């Protein structure tokens, strides 16, 4: 019994002695593993986190890297937004220590709105923009996000907004500048100068009063004055509204004829031979009427020279293409184009004209039935006067200089008031003109230019 007790006491003593040794051994093999840097890391998209790894301590001192094994695993995609981890596995004396670092890949860069203009100019009347507006939205991560643009148009600006998939937002403002509000327009309907043949009808066209955008202003226009077409003279019609005044002059005229009067008229120019024609006319101090075209634009400057030398300028046609008889508006457009050139060259429009081919032409039937009658009626109602002729020189049909001479000097015997058709672009006419004028001036003929009171020598309209 005594022996057993001794054995038990010895065993307990041995155990007590070995405990510190065992504990100390374990402590000698214990290490401390911790992250170097923060546990939670935020990284911008397309950039990269430089791994700071871990720290391994033993007895509060850095443990030699050769003493342990380190394995690092991660699933990070720096090109894609998301939450990722880096896992560090340390093996020391067959024991594993695992640490984790959280990596959050984010996009915090706002998208960019690109606008091709800084400001827009808006038409006051049409309310549309003068510039073409082009807008794009680009994002560093999402790419082209133009379809996500939000637009808000205010009175003075347009606001564009866009958000990318990460909630980053960009805003762009485009300033709107309006044209100056146009002034109200008060204008006559028709011409400000109208010539009416004695005992014909005068049609009052009135006037229009609109805002700068062409919308009718509902105000009464006061019209004063009357036209008595049974008496020749100049009549004044006055139009008034909002303190503004317009005047139309209406001339009621009677056609008078003087014996042995010649009206030389030249069509289709100016052209290469027009200058010679002018010089010959000057030689005999004869004034003529030129029904001008724009067939030869390089010679259009001669219109002003014709005018400055005292000749009468009238409209023939801009193009001298018979397709102007396609319809009324086509003819008027051609007429107005030529009259604009006349105004540029002389300072004023002409109210005299001649139909290409004359009012009796039948070529117009190839384009539209009755079109010449329609044009004559419309143009006359607007105060324009058209002229035909009662004596042709024959130059348009290819007559030579001798034939042209004989046609004119003999033809004048059959008319007291001769409106002669010639062409200043024909060299045959130019070659005969000197002799023609020499003959007629010696015979005592008077030469005049056409005006509102001249004989119109209208043909019978065939279409």
């Amino acid at each position: 019994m005594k022996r057993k007790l001794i054995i038990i006491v010895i065993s307990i003593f041995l155990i007590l002695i070995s405990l510190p040794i065992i504990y100390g051994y374990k402590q000698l093999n214990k290490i401390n593993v911790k992250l170097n840097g923060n546990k939670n890391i935020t990284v911008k998209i397309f950039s990269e986190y430089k791994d700071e790894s871990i720290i391994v301590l033993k007895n509060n001192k850095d443990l030699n890297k050769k003493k342990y094994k380190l394995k690092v695993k991660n699933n990070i995609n720096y090109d894609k937004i998301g939450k990722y981890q880096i896992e560090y596995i340390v093996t020391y004396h067959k024991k594993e220590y695992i640490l984790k670092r959280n990596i959050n890949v984010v996009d915090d860069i706002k998208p960019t709105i690109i606008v091709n203009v800084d400001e827009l100019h808006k038409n006051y009347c049409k309310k549309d923009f003068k510039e073409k507006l082009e807008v794009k939205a680009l994002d560093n991560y999402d790419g082209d996000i133009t379809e996500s643009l939000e637009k808000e148009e205010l009175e003075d600006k347009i606001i564009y907004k866009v958000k990318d998939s990460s909630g980053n937002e960009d805003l762009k403002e485009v300033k709107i500048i309006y044209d100056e509000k146009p002034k109200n327009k008060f204008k006559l309907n028709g011409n400000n100068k109208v010539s009416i043949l004695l005992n014909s009808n005068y049609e009052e066209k009135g006037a229009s009063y609109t805002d700068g955008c062409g919308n009718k202003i509902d105000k009464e226009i006061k019209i004063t004055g009357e036209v008595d077409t049974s008496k020749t003279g100049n009549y004044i019609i006055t139009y008034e509204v909002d303190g503004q005044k317009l005047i139309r002059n209406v001339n009621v005229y009677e056609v008078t004829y003087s014996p042995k009067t010649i009206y030389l008229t030249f069509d289709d120019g100016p052209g290469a031979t027009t200058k010679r024609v002018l010089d010959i006319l000057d030689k005999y101090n004869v004034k003529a009427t030129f029904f001008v075209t724009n067939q030869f634009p390089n010679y259009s400057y001669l219109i002003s020279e014709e005018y400055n030398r005292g000749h009468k300028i009238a409209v023939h046609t801009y193009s001298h293409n018979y397709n102007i008889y396609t319809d009324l508006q086509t003819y008027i457009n051609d007429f107005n184009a030529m009259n604009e050139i006349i105004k540029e060259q002389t300072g004023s429009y002409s109210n005299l004209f001649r139909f290409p081919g004359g009012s009796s032409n039948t070529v117009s039937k190839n384009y539209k039935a009755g079109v010449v009658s329609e044009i004559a009626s419309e143009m006359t109602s607007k105060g324009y006067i058209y002229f035909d002729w009662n004596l042709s020189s024959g130059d348009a049909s290819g007559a030579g200089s001798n034939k042209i001479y004989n046609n004119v000097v003999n033809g004048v015997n059959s008319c007291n008031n001769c409106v002669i058709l010639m062409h200043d672009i024909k060299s045959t006419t130019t070659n005969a003109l000197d002799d023609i004028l020499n003959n007629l001036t010696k015979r005592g003929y008077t030469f005049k230019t056409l005006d509102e009171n001249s004989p119109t020598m209208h043909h019978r309209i065939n279409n």
Side-chain angles (χ1 to χ4, degrees):
M1 185 69 180
K2 185 177 180 180
R3 187 178 177 182
K4 283 185 178 182
L5 181 60
I6 291 171
I7 291 171
I8 291 170
V9 171
I10 291 171
S11 296
I12 292 171
F13 176 75
L14 291 173
I15 291 170
L16 291 174
I17 290 173
S18 62
L19 281 175
I21 295 171
I22 295 170
Y23 177 76
Y25 177 79
K26 288 184 176 181
Q27 289 296 106
L28 286 173
N29 288 296
K30 184 178 181 182
I31 60 174
N32 183 17
V33 180
K34 62 180 182 178
L35 294 173
N36 187 20
N38 295 325
K39 182 178 181 179
N40 298 307
I41 300 294
T42 299
V43 181
K44 291 183 179 182
I45 191 73
F46 305 128
S47 59
E48 192 170 336
Y49 167 64
K50 187 176 181 181
D51 191 6
E52 298 173 271
S53 193
I54 59 170
I55 300 172
V56 181
L57 299 174
K58 182 179 180 181
N59 298 326
N60 294 322
K61 292 182 179 180
D62 287 338
L63 182 63
N64 191 318
K65 292 181 180 181
K66 294 180 179 180
K67 301 290 186 178
Y68 63 88
K69 291 181 179 179
L70 173 62
K71 185 178 181 181
V72 181
K73 296 191 297 184
N74 75 67
N75 62 346
I76 304 172
N77 184 350
Y78 292 105
D79 295 334
K80 186 176 180 180
I81 295 170
K83 297 183 182 296
Y84 304 94
Q85 279 190 338
I86 302 177
E87 186 176 74
Y88 307 91
I89 303 169
V90 177
T91 303
Y92 180 71
H93 285 282
K94 297 183 180 181
K95 186 174 182 181
E96 287 187 347
Y97 302 84
I98 299 174
L99 294 179
K100 294 180 180 181
R101 192 191 308 273
N102 300 313
I103 305 296
N104 187 21
V105 178
V106 301
D107 174 21
D108 61 355
I109 299 174
K110 69 177 184 178
T112 302
I113 297 174
I114 303 170
V115 185
N116 65 318
V117 293
D118 293 324
E119 58 186 35
L120 289 167
H121 295 82
K122 202 168 193 179
N123 184 292
Y124 183 89
C125 296
K126 296 180 180 179
K127 305 301 182 186
D128 57 358
F129 295 114
K130 294 183 178 180
E131 299 86 0
K132 183 180 179 182
L133 184 62
E134 297 177 356
V135 185
K136 282 187 175 183
L138 302 177
D139 183 65
N140 66 313
Y141 182 68
D142 299 325
D144 191 332
I145 55 173
T146 304
E147 291 185 357
S148 300
L149 275 168
E150 295 179 5
K151 175 184 175 182
E152 181 182 8
E153 185 169 339
L154 305 177
E155 188 70 17
D156 60 341
K157 61 185 174 183
I158 298 177
I159 301 173
Y160 289 98
K161 293 180 181 178
V162 71
K163 282 185 179 180
D164 64 14
S165 59
S166 298
N168 302 304
E169 184 178 26
D170 190 26
L171 180 148
K172 182 79 172 181
E173 294 184 359
V174 181
K175 187 177 180 181
I176 298 176
I177 300 175
Y178 287 86
D179 290 348
E180 183 178 351
K181 181 180 178 181
K183 296 179 181 179
N184 295 344
K185 296 179 181 179
F186 183 37
K187 64 178 183 178
L188 295 175
N189 298 330
N191 295 327
N192 61 349
K193 291 183 179 180
V194 177
S195 296
I196 300 294
L197 185 64
L198 184 69
N199 295 320
S200 63
N201 293 324
Y202 168 68
E203 180 184 355
E204 175 55 60
K205 297 288 188 179
S208 62
Y209 189 41
T210 60
D211 63 22
C213 299
N215 302 308
K216 183 179 179 181
I217 298 175
D218 191 18
K219 285 193 176 183
E220 182 182 358
I221 299 173
K222 183 181 178 183
I223 304 177
T224 56
E226 293 182 354
V227 177
D228 184 356
T229 60
S230 67
K231 295 180 181 179
T232 60
N234 189 56
Y235 298 87
I236 296 177
I237 310 297
T238 302
Y239 309 80
E240 295 181 86
V241 67
D242 275 351
Q244 301 181 65
K245 181 186 288 188
L246 296 174
I247 292 176
R248 193 194 314 271
N249 291 288
V250 181
N251 178 42
V252 178
Y253 68 94
E254 181 180 12
V255 176
T256 57
Y257 299 92
S258 301
K260 298 185 72 174
T261 300
I262 290 177
Y263 300 88
L264 282 182
T265 68
F266 294 92
D267 286 10
D268 293 1
T273 55
T274 300
K275 182 68 164 53
R276 285 181 58 202
V277 169
L278 291 173
D279 291 340
I280 295 169
L281 291 171
D282 281 353
K283 177 180 176 180
Y284 293 92
N285 195 26
V286 169
K287 305 303 177 187
T289 302
F290 288 86
F291 290 93
V292 296
T293 74
N294 194 49
Q295 292 188 90
F296 313 104
N298 290 339
Y299 293 96
S300 62
Y301 72 94
L302 286 174
I303 294 175
S304 63
E305 186 161 345
E306 292 167 351
Y307 176 78
N308 292 333
R309 294 196 193 193
H311 303 289
K312 190 74 172 182
I313 307 300
V315 179
H316 193 31
T317 167
Y318 181 87
S319 63
H320 210 291
N321 189 322
Y322 279 92
N323 65 12
I324 63 172
Y325 291 122
T326 299
D327 53 49
L328 173 63
Q329 193 57 52
T330 300
Y331 179 88
I332 289 175
N333 290 343
D334 180 274
F335 179 95
N336 290 339
M338 192 63 237
N339 221 354
E340 287 295 334
I341 294 176
I342 290 174
K343 186 175 187 298
E344 290 174 7
Q345 294 291 322
T346 69
S348 60
Y349 296 112
S350 176
N351 66 334
L352 311 182
F353 73 102
R354 175 173 283 165
F355 285 101
S359 65
S360 59
N361 84 82
T362 56
V363 179
S364 57
K365 290 182 179 180
N366 297 328
Y367 296 92
K368 183 183 179 184
V371 69
V372 175
S373 298
E374 185 181 2
I375 294 168
S377 175
E378 176 68 16
M379 298 296 281
T380 301
S381 72
K382 290 183 175 182
Y384 295 105
I385 303 169
Y386 72 89
F387 292 84
D388 288 316
W389 58 90
N390 61 349
L391 177 58
S392 174
S393 67
D395 59 356
S397 56
S401 297
N402 289 335
K403 180 65 174 175
I404 292 170
Y405 172 83
N406 289 322
N407 286 343
V408 175
V409 299
N410 295 325
V412 295
N413 296 326
S414 61
C415 54
N416 286 329
N417 290 273
C418 300
V419 178
I420 304 175
L421 173 64
M422 308 178 85
H423 294 79
D424 55 311
I425 62 170
K426 298 285 187 179
S427 60
T428 50
T429 299
T430 309
N431 293 335
L433 186 59
D434 194 309
D435 291 337
I436 291 172
L437 294 181
N438 183 50
N439 178 292
L440 297 179
T441 53
K442 286 180 178 179
R443 291 163 61 183
Y445 280 94
T446 299
F447 293 87
K448 288 186 178 181
T449 60
L450 296 173
D451 60 28
E452 291 85 351
N453 299 313
S454 303
T456 55
M457 299 305 174
H458 284 172
H459 299 167
R460 179 180 178 273
I461 294 178
N462 293 313
N463 184 29

